Amino acid sequence: TGLIRILLYPNPAKNMVYFNVDASLGEGNVVLTDMQGKELSKARFRVGLNSINVGKYASGMYLVRFKTKKGMQTEKLLID
C-alpha cells in the first residue's frame, strides 16, 4: 500500500470537518487521535463527501488517519 491524498477542510475547524473521497480510493476507515495517539473517534467512510463532528473536543492539535485498500494518510487537524 502507498500514500493516498484526501483533503481535510476546514483546517483549523470548530464543529465539523469535511473530506471528499475519490472513487479510485474506495471506502475505508478514518480515525481521530490526540497527539499522544489516544483514539478519540473511529468511523467508516464512503466515496464522496464525508464529515466528522469535532465540536466536542478541546482546542488543540489532533491527528486524522485515513486508511483504504490503496494506502494510508495522516493529516494534522487544528481544532479551535
Side-chain angles (χ1 to χ4, degrees):
T1 58
L3 292 176
I4 59 174
R5 192 73 194 128
I6 296 174
L7 179 64
L8 192 63
Y9 63 92
N11 192 0
K14 287 193 183 300
N15 294 307
M16 297 295 288
V17 66
Y18 301 93
F19 57 98
N20 201 16
V21 179
D22 191 84
S24 65
L25 297 176
E27 297 182 350
N29 292 310
V30 59
V31 178
L32 177 69
T33 69
D34 63 18
M35 293 304 286
Q36 287 72 44
K38 180 182 173 196
E39 190 174 297
L40 304 172
S41 166
K42 185 175 187 176
R44 297 259 324 139
F45 61 78
R46 298 198 265 311
V47 170
L49 185 63
N50 296 267
S51 63
I52 304 169
N53 186 341
V54 296
K56 63 185 173 184
Y57 301 111
S59 296
M61 190 67 73
Y62 294 82
L63 294 175
V64 181
R65 289 195 181 99
F66 299 100
K67 186 172 184 184
T68 73
K69 291 179 183 173
K70 300 274 186 179
M72 57 191 328
Q73 172 185 340
T74 302
E75 288 292 322
K76 288 183 180 175
L77 172 66
L78 180 61
I79 298 177
D80 272 346

